[in-house]
């Protein structure tokens, strides 16, 4: 878990400063105990990114964010992990790599393929990418929404963060309770995305991206790149790896075998790390299955918490 935040302002009276970015980062310090960095990227429009790091892959300081391409055109802040980054790195070569982790690979994938890179990613992520040439901000979130990302569109700006609290220092946002979301919360125990408990603050939906190229407004459109109801190209339970549809009479043993294969592959992809890995056990079947699959790939520690 890392924390990201940032602002793009088209208003000369609303400048992005290091002090502002530090305040935003401090609100999400708990997400990244391994380091902090902030950067004012441009002065017209005013752009700045903040990052709190939890180092899992490539703990070298060179892998710190915000991270830019050598020509300075693209700058990224990224929370999450790209499990197939080594495959993508091979596909993107030859080029000079400065780090051994997934952040630099994601940066170059987006610089090379644009939004089409999202189709190639296998992982959990939320990121913001600034394009200094096109003067555009790209926000994106992983397919199932494992990593959070919120943004607010002010009169002439957009601010984003991993948590709503990090948006609080930005002045171009009139914070008021969304009474409709409050009613939803009291009735259902949650709000309905993309709405949040505060007016003007939106949650980026799972499997969506949004590109902002000018002073935004409430009509900023989120574009969906993945729909869980459309498993095109995604193996279904009981479907052989080659994508051939399973027959109605598929034996239970075949389904069990395919399920085991999918679980092992999914967990194995998440076992890539440069620090020790562990599993929280809830006492249920799901965490026990994950722990069993993880053990097949390497040594893991398990933890349980009681209240």
């Amino acid at each position: 878990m890392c924390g990201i935040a940032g602002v793009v302002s088209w208003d000369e009276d609303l400048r992005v400063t290091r002090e502002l970015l530090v305040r935003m980062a401090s609100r999400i310090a708990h997400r990244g105990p391994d380091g902090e960095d902030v950067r004012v990227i441009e002065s017209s429009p005013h752009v700045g990114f903040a990052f709190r790091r939890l180092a899992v892959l490539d703990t070298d300081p060179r892998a710190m964010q915000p991270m830019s391409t050598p020509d300075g055109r693209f700058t990224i802040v990224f929370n999450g992990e790209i499990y197939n980054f080594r495959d993508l790195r091979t596909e993107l070569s030859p080029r000079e790599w400065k780090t051994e982790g997934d952040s630099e690979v994601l940066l170059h994938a987006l610089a090379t393929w644009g939004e089409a890179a999202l189709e190639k990613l296998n992982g959990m992520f939320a990121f913001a990418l600034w394009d200094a040439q096109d003067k555009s901000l790209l926000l994106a979130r992983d397919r199932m929404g494992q990593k959070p990302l919120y943004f607010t569109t002010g009169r002439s700006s957009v601010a984003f963060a991993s948590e709503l609290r990090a948006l609080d220092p930005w002045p171009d946002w009139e914070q008021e309770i969304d009474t409709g979301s409050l009613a939803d919360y009291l009735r259902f125990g949650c709000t309905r995305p993309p709405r949040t408990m505060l007016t003007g603050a939106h949650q980026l939906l799972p499997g969506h991206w949004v590109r902002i190229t000018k002073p935004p407004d409430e009509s900023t459109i989120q574009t969906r790149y993945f729909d869980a109801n459309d498993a095109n190209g995604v193996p279904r339970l009981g479907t052989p790896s080659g994508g051939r549809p399973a027959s109605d009479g598929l034996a239970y043993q075949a389904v069990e075998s395919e399920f085991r294969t999918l679980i092992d592959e999914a967990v194995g992809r998440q076992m890539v790390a440069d620090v020790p890995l562990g599993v929280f056990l809830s006492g249920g079947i799901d965490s026990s299955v994950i722990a069993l699959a993880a053990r097949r790939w390497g040594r893991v520690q398990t933890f349980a918490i009681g209240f």
Side-chain angles (χ1 to χ4, degrees):
M1 179 172 69
C2 295
I4 63 175
V7 177
V8 180
S9 172
W10 287 266
D11 189 337
E12 285 296 323
D13 295 327
L14 290 171
R15 297 176 179 271
V16 180
T17 63
R18 286 187 57 85
E19 291 74 18
L20 167 73
L21 297 172
V22 167
R23 288 175 60 199
M24 296 179 75
S26 69
R27 301 297 181 94
I28 49 176
H30 56 281
R31 300 185 65 92
D34 294 329
E36 174 185 297
D37 197 6
V38 302
R39 186 189 306 173
V40 177
I41 303 169
E42 287 197 19
S43 58
S44 181
H46 302 287
V47 184
F49 284 176
F51 181 66
R52 290 291 314 193
R53 186 183 190 191
L54 176 66
V56 176
L57 282 174
D58 192 3
T59 58
D60 191 295
R62 290 179 298 176
M64 192 64 176
Q65 301 175 43
M67 183 180 291
S68 300
T69 51
D71 61 3
R73 175 177 175 178
F74 297 98
T75 302
I76 195 171
V77 279
F78 153 59
N79 168 33
E81 189 173 353
I82 307 301
Y83 304 133
N84 63 333
F85 78 96
R86 290 195 175 100
D87 294 334
L88 294 175
R89 180 171 172 144
T90 300
E91 190 174 348
L92 288 163
S93 293
R95 66 185 66 210
E96 282 190 31
W97 297 97
K98 297 181 179 180
T99 67
E100 298 297 326
D102 54 351
S103 300
E104 187 181 13
V105 173
L106 175 60
L107 172 63
H108 283 281
L110 292 166
T112 302
W113 299 311
E115 293 92 341
L118 294 169
E119 302 286 347
K120 296 175 176 284
L121 303 181
N122 186 317
M124 52 180 181
F125 55 84
F127 66 77
L129 180 80
W130 174 250
D131 184 338
Q133 178 173 300
D134 293 346
K135 307 296 183 184
S136 66
L137 178 71
L138 174 66
L139 304 176
R141 195 173 175 204
D142 62 70
R143 290 172 174 81
M144 302 307 293
Q146 288 178 264
K147 294 301 180 182
L149 189 57
Y150 299 88
F151 67 98
T152 177
T153 51
R155 295 182 300 276
S156 57
S157 69
V158 57
F160 66 88
S162 297
E163 298 181 20
L164 280 173
R165 72 182 76 189
L167 299 175
D168 184 61
W170 181 238
D172 191 30
W173 176 33
E174 297 180 5
Q175 299 181 36
E176 296 182 0
I177 295 293
D178 184 326
T179 55
S181 292
L182 176 60
D184 286 341
Y185 180 78
L186 295 175
R187 180 177 299 175
F188 305 116
C190 62
T191 59
R192 286 183 284 186
R195 293 170 64 177
T196 67
M197 196 67 79
L198 299 174
T199 57
H202 316 281
Q203 184 178 161
L204 187 62
L205 294 170
H208 282 67
W209 59 266
V210 60
R211 184 179 289 277
I212 300 171
T213 57
K214 59 183 178 180
D217 55 35
E218 290 291 330
S219 63
T220 299
I221 298 174
Q222 300 189 29
T223 302
R224 183 169 62 187
Y225 70 90
F226 174 80
D227 184 355
N229 295 316
D230 179 12
N232 217 2
V234 179
R236 291 179 181 273
L237 181 60
T239 301
S241 299
R244 292 178 285 106
S247 65
D248 293 337
L250 186 67
Y252 174 83
Q253 289 80 4
V255 175
E256 181 184 26
S257 176
E258 182 69 8
F259 177 77
R260 182 185 296 272
T261 299
L262 292 173
I263 288 292
D264 284 350
E265 289 178 353
V267 173
R269 282 192 291 264
Q270 300 186 46
M271 295 292 290
V272 179
D274 295 324
V275 295
L277 293 173
V279 177
F280 281 113
L281 297 176
S282 66
I285 295 175
D286 50 356
S287 61
S288 300
V289 168
I290 291 171
L292 176 62
R295 184 63 184 88
R296 295 193 184 101
W297 290 92
R299 186 174 182 82
V300 295
Q301 292 181 294
T302 58
F303 303 86
I305 299 176
F307 297 93

